[in-house]
Amino acid sequence: MKKRAFALAAHPDDIEFVMAGTLILLAQAGYEVHYMNVGNGSCGTASLPKDEIIEIRRTEAQQAAASVGAIYHESLTDDFTIFYEPRLLARLSSVMRKVAPEILLLQSPQDYMEDHQNTVRLAVTAAFTRGMRNFSTDPQHAPVDHPVAIYHAQPHGNRDTLGNFIRPHFCVDIGSVIEQKTHMLSCHMSQKSWLDQSQGMDAYLHTMQGLGKEVAGFASGLTYAEGWRKRLHLGYANADFSPLERSLAPYLVDLPTQSTSSNAYTS
């Protein structure tokens, strides 16, 4: 089966902020890469009508995906209607089975807004039910039987909803592809409407780069990095299935695991 990596996030430009560098490196490593935003960007403006901004943000996302050779998948719903509910789950599950990734790149389970967190919940369930013949998808798609490894990116701002810094399990050195990642984000020109006009798009790009520098600070010798936490393998693959770590070994920097009490779960 062809090696596939699926970057899936809530809104147009979310992929670019926290996971595009890793996606680009996976494409260079021979993966067929896929790109999807569950939300269509309908609230991504302070001035334009809904239908107009949806089409603009769709075009921007398509351009960003095309710039790195990623296969684009259409959004499924409006912003702020991304809920963990059966109909949306059935639709996303159909896409998950169609793509059949061995690497699934998702946002952090702890993030500053509910759309991000709900997208993660939907995606991990869609992946979990990928091989369940009695789980109906919309449109119906045959179940797939293959392992998948799920990796969670850093939350936007590198912090959870309470302001705590999220420490990744490992970092991916994206210094060699930071220009491509920056170009992907620059495709989202409509976001200039959200920025102070004295700052403009450059500030938007510098924010993304600054977050990458902050993650790179965990390891010496890195300039830009993306941080990742690997989801528990149960229900998805064998414990030793680590395709991202294997494929991007030259770019990987492991971080020491923080110690936990040996009797933490003892009653």
Side-chain angles (χ1 to χ4, degrees):
M1 186 175 67
K2 192 167 188 176
K3 297 190 301 181
R4 297 187 180 96
F6 192 9
L8 196 160
H11 310 115
D13 81 15
D14 286 344
I15 288 172
E16 288 75 5
F17 260 98
V18 297
M19 63 183 80
T22 301
L23 188 69
I24 294 166
L25 290 172
L26 286 170
Q28 293 179 357
Y31 275 79
E32 178 182 282
V33 294
H34 293 250
Y35 173 113
M36 182 179 183
N37 305 301
V38 174
N40 57 22
S42 60
C43 292
T45 181
S47 57
L48 297 175
K50 178 180 174 180
D51 289 346
E52 186 174 345
I53 190 59
I54 288 174
E55 186 55 35
I56 289 173
R57 300 219 71 191
R58 176 177 181 268
T59 299
E60 291 172 344
Q62 288 177 321
Q63 291 173 343
S67 73
V68 296
I71 297 170
Y72 173 85
H73 296 269
E74 296 288 352
S75 300
L76 300 178
T77 190
D78 290 344
D79 296 351
F80 299 102
T81 65
I82 304 175
F83 298 117
Y84 188 79
E85 52 89 11
R87 289 173 297 180
L88 189 53
L89 177 59
R91 295 175 67 197
L92 185 58
S93 295
S94 182
V95 179
M96 190 69 68
R97 292 181 181 187
K98 179 180 179 181
V99 176
E102 74 168 29
I103 293 176
L104 181 58
L105 305 179
L106 300 177
Q107 290 168 282
S108 172
Q110 307 87 15
D111 216 329
Y112 81 105
M113 68 176 303
E114 296 297 319
D115 272 4
H116 294 190
Q117 297 180 138
N118 288 340
T119 295
V120 171
R121 293 186 66 199
L122 290 163
V124 297
T125 303
F128 196 91
T129 61
R130 70 197 181 282
M132 297 179 180
R133 62 176 297 173
N134 291 337
F135 184 83
S136 296
T137 65
D138 179 21
Q140 189 62 39
H141 197 290
V144 293
D145 182 18
H146 70 284
V148 58
I150 301 176
Y151 300 88
H152 293 286
Q154 288 291 93
H156 191 79
N158 290 323
R159 286 154 179 82
D160 66 15
T161 55
L162 300 180
N164 301 306
F165 193 91
I166 295 295
R167 180 183 178 85
H169 294 164
F170 61 87
C171 295
V172 172
D173 180 0
I174 62 166
S176 64
V177 296
I178 188 62
E179 290 187 9
Q180 290 170 272
K181 176 175 176 170
T182 301
H183 174 72
M184 286 183 71
L185 184 58
S186 72
C187 291
H188 297 274
M189 294 297 292
S190 67
Q191 291 308 281
K192 290 180 69 174
S193 64
W194 284 104
L195 303 171
D196 184 293
Q197 293 302 310
S198 65
Q199 296 176 325
M201 180 57 74
D202 285 348
Y204 194 55
L205 304 179
H206 291 157
T207 296
M208 177 273 288
Q209 293 173 351
L211 295 173
K213 287 181 179 180
E214 187 173 35
V215 176
F218 276 114
S220 62
L222 300 187
T223 304
Y224 297 100
E226 290 176 347
W228 294 98
R229 290 179 292 165
K230 187 180 181 184
R231 194 175 187 89
L232 186 67
H233 68 282
L234 296 177
Y236 303 104
N238 294 329
D240 60 353
F241 185 63
S242 302
L244 192 153
E245 294 93 322
R246 182 187 68 248
S247 300
L248 299 187
Y251 303 94
L252 211 73
V253 178
D254 284 317
L255 301 178
T257 302
Q258 292 179 318
S259 62
T260 56
S261 173
S262 60
N263 63 351
Y265 300 101
T266 303
S267 59

